[in-house]
Amino acid sequence: RGHDVAPAVETTADEIAAMEIRGAATIADAAAEALAIQAERSDADRPDAFEQQLRAAAKTLYETRPTAVSLPNALRYVLAGMDGDTVAELRASIVDRAAEFRRDLDRAQSKLGSVGANRLRDGDVVMTHCHSTDALACLEAAVEDGTEIEAIVKETRPRMQGHITAGQLREWGVPVTVIVDGAARRYLDRADHVLVGADSIAADGSVINKIGTSGLAVLARERGVPVTVAAQTIKLHPDTMTGHTVEIERRDEREVLDEEARAAITDGADGVDDGLTAENPAFDVTPPRYVDAIVTEHGQFPPETIVTLMRELFGETVDEPWEL
Ligand code: RUB
């Protein structure tokens, strides 16, 4: 890590890596805030030193988790606004740009929420996976419209983000049934919609989201239940326009198999058994043919057409301003 990165930025980076700050939109918001803090606390006395510090801070944040493109998109957006001839001007430009980014993020989410809510009818039962603030924005807008909905919430092993979703929905008075992930197919008989968020959306309309999303989408198709993905355009992955793939984060296997569980399996071998491994990919890829609509702040799109929006919003070239 760069020497001049503010301790508060390193704290944010650690919290993202440890998933104390998690979810694609929340990570983007925290990253923009961290760049503003870096700008405010910078002790640089020359413009080029200030710029180096900002890039080093961005790199520290960038290297936390690889899958949610909202993170590099946020960093790119804020750094692109860095402008001025003096440290004071540069500082002000970053602080303003970060504030603008965070305001737009909020606005996009509530706009998207009202688009998504239009897909829901009185009496609808919605199945969710993981915890997505974009997906929840659709449900919140529906509740505010007075639409009576119910939710079936998949708990989402191994980190149980479904519990966060359940807590939020209960706060809004939505009846919630929590199920284990393996019960999804059985409960799809009762569902009118599957509604999930996204960490990244590729140019072909593939949706990268919490592990288990693709299986859920395939089951939903089999059951004739439409799949809606709620994703602000900050989730569009511009690198995929030029053929890059999205890296799927692999997390510590102890999230799946902790020491106690491992010891119970290897019983007597003190938990030592080289032939036993657990794998823990955090995300998977849902092909566009299993997705009915991607709901964004610009309206809803069939996944196959999302590349048009991607090109419009991001252009063709993507820079990496955190590479010094
Ligand atoms: C969170 C996750 C969420 C998306 C969208 O994964 O997969 O569905 O990030 O969330 P993790 P949001 O818990 O591993 O970060 O709509 O809030 O951006």
Side-chain angles (χ1 to χ4, degrees), residues 72-73 76-77 80 236-244 310-322:
N73 281 348
R76 228 177 253 130
Y77 184 89
L236 301 180
H237 201 306
D239 288 335
T240 60
M241 284 190 287
T242 49
H244 290 272
M310 203 180 281
R311 208 173 281 128
E312 229 173 75
L313 296 173
F314 292 92
E316 297 280 353
T317 52
V318 185
D319 59 344
E320 300 202 326
W322 45 84

Side-chain angles (χ1 to χ4, degrees), residues 19 22-25 65 132-134 161 198-199 209-210 235:
M19 291 176 66
R22 50 147 295 283
R65 293 184 79 188
S132 156
T133 56
D134 281 352
Q161 291 94 328
D199 288 85
N209 190 49
K210 181 53 56 193
K235 315 292 180 61

Side-chain angles (χ1 to χ4, degrees), residues 39 47 50 81-96:
F50 179 91
M82 184 153 57
D83 186 34
D85 298 324
T86 65
V87 169
E89 284 169 11
L90 290 168
R91 176 177 287 128
S93 71
I94 289 285
V95 169
D96 287 354

Side-chain angles (χ1 to χ4, degrees), residues 28-290:
D29 184 64
E33 183 184 26
L35 289 183
I37 291 172
Q38 176 69 45
E40 277 163 352
R41 303 199 182 157
S42 167
D43 55 5
D45 48 9
R46 295 205 330 272
D48 59 332
F50 179 91
E51 285 187 30
Q52 289 292 354
Q53 283 184 3
L54 262 290
R55 289 182 207 288
K59 192 177 169 75
T60 299
L61 294 160
Y62 174 72
E63 285 171 347
T64 52
R65 293 184 79 188
T67 304
V69 73
S70 51
L71 173 57
N73 281 348
L75 299 171
R76 228 177 253 130
Y77 184 89
V78 174
L79 290 184
M82 184 153 57
D83 186 34
D85 298 324
T86 65
V87 169
E89 284 169 11
L90 290 168
R91 176 177 287 128
S93 71
I94 289 285
V95 169
D96 287 354
R97 183 82 162 182
E100 176 188 307
F101 175 83
R102 300 180 70 196
R103 211 165 39 236
D104 289 352
L105 199 66
D106 262 2
R107 282 193 194 139
Q109 192 167 75
S110 52
K111 183 81 212 302
L112 162 168
S114 56
V115 176
N118 288 335
R119 296 176 61 84
L120 304 172
R121 299 283 168 273
D122 259 337
D124 277 357
V125 177
V126 180
M127 186 179 287
T128 66
H129 185 57
C130 198
H131 166 257
S132 156
T133 56
D134 281 352
L136 280 172
C138 302
L139 300 178
E140 183 180 25
V143 169
E144 278 171 2
D145 290 348
T147 310
E148 301 272 345
I149 53 169
E150 278 180 45
I152 298 173
V153 172
K154 292 179 71 207
E155 60 183 2
T156 316
R157 277 268 297 158
R159 299 288 296 236
M160 302 294 189
Q161 291 94 328
H163 293 184
I164 307 171
T165 301
Q168 182 61 80
L169 289 169
R170 286 307 299 137
E171 239 174 70
W172 296 332
V174 175
V176 168
T177 304
V178 175
I179 60 170
V180 298
D181 296 310
R185 183 163 179 264
R186 182 177 175 91
Y187 282 85
L188 275 167
D189 289 343
R190 279 174 44 192
D192 301 292
H193 297 271
V194 164
L195 175 64
V196 295
D199 288 85
S200 284
I201 293 179
D204 70 346
S206 295
V207 172
I208 294 87
N209 190 49
K210 181 53 56 193
I211 188 80
T213 302
S214 68
L216 175 61
V218 171
L219 294 177
R221 174 54 52 86
E222 187 226 15
R223 286 298 202 241
V225 180
V227 175
T228 303
V229 174
Q232 344 184 12
T233 55
I234 191 89
K235 315 292 180 61
L236 301 180
H237 201 306
D239 288 335
T240 60
M241 284 190 287
T242 49
H244 290 272
T245 52
V246 178
E247 184 183 339
I248 302 293
E249 177 184 11
R250 292 184 168 272
R251 297 192 62 84
D252 196 311
E253 68 168 53
R254 282 170 298 187
E255 289 185 348
V256 176
L257 207 54
D258 63 19
E259 264 108 43
E260 199 184 331
R262 171 172 274 279
I265 292 170
T266 56
D267 188 24
D270 282 339
V272 181
D273 178 354
D274 292 345
L276 177 67
T277 55
E279 296 210 354
N280 189 16
F283 302 98
D284 66 19
V285 183
T286 303
R289 65 181 175 282
Y290 296 109

